[in-house]
Amino acid sequence: MARLVPPVGKVLVIDAVQLPAEMQTWPTVVELPVLWGDMDAFRHVNNTVFLRWFESSRIAFLHHGGVDALMQQQGLAPILASLQCNYRRQVRYPDRIWVGTRVASIGRTSLRMEHLIYGEQEQAIVADGISVMVVFHYDRQRPTPVPDFLRQEIQRLQPDIAI
């Protein structure tokens, strides 16, 4: 099961694992186990699993950013428009990983999000990526501007971001 790890102070230590400096200030860090079934015939985690890890952290970020209220009150929801992953190192079972997510920029209808995956066994960043989420109006079947309350919630989580 995923565990949301709130950054505390300048150094984030989780069960004696110190995350790298670049991840310590990220508003969302999710801890996930590497499962036996995540591996493929080449005896490392399959490339598609990294995308699911990004998704888990992205959803945790959006949940804390008020997306549930957005969906219920206005019929809007973020929809994945694009996803990029840079694989830096192999990951194998057994292991634990931490996935950080933050918003890099806010556009008129979209959020550009950055992801980092840190592996306990490697003691290093094992992947990084970018996803673009578009705020989508499901009744109208088209993108819609990022609501002000979502921009403000993102700024609460990340005070240094321009809204």
Side-chain angles (χ1 to χ4, degrees), residues 30-130:
V30 177
E31 177 187 354
L32 297 167
V34 175
L35 305 173
W36 174 260
D38 292 340
M39 294 194 307
D40 60 22
F42 299 108
R43 291 185 249 160
H44 60 229
V45 171
N46 185 273
N47 61 298
T48 62
V49 174
F50 288 74
L51 306 181
R52 286 197 332 258
W53 291 340
F54 285 169
E55 176 186 54
S56 293
S57 186
R58 186 172 60 245
I59 296 303
F61 180 95
L62 293 171
H63 176 72
H64 292 291
V67 171
D68 295 344
L70 176 69
M71 290 173 61
Q72 292 174 1
Q73 295 170 4
Q74 300 179 23
L76 309 176
I79 194 167
L80 186 64
S82 68
L83 181 59
Q84 170 191 338
C85 183
N86 301 304
Y87 303 94
R88 296 185 184 189
R89 297 177 184 234
Q90 295 182 59
V91 177
R92 293 180 178 83
Y93 173 87
D95 203 351
R96 286 189 301 175
I97 53 102
W98 287 266
V99 187
T101 296
R102 68 180 176 189
V103 173
S105 62
I106 304 172
R108 190 179 77 76
T109 63
S110 64
L111 307 173
R112 181 176 176 271
M113 304 181 88
E114 298 177 326
H115 308 283
L116 283 180
I117 301 176
Y118 178 81
E120 181 177 42
Q121 295 298 323
E122 292 290 327
Q123 293 288 296
I125 299 293
V126 297
D128 63 83
I130 305 260

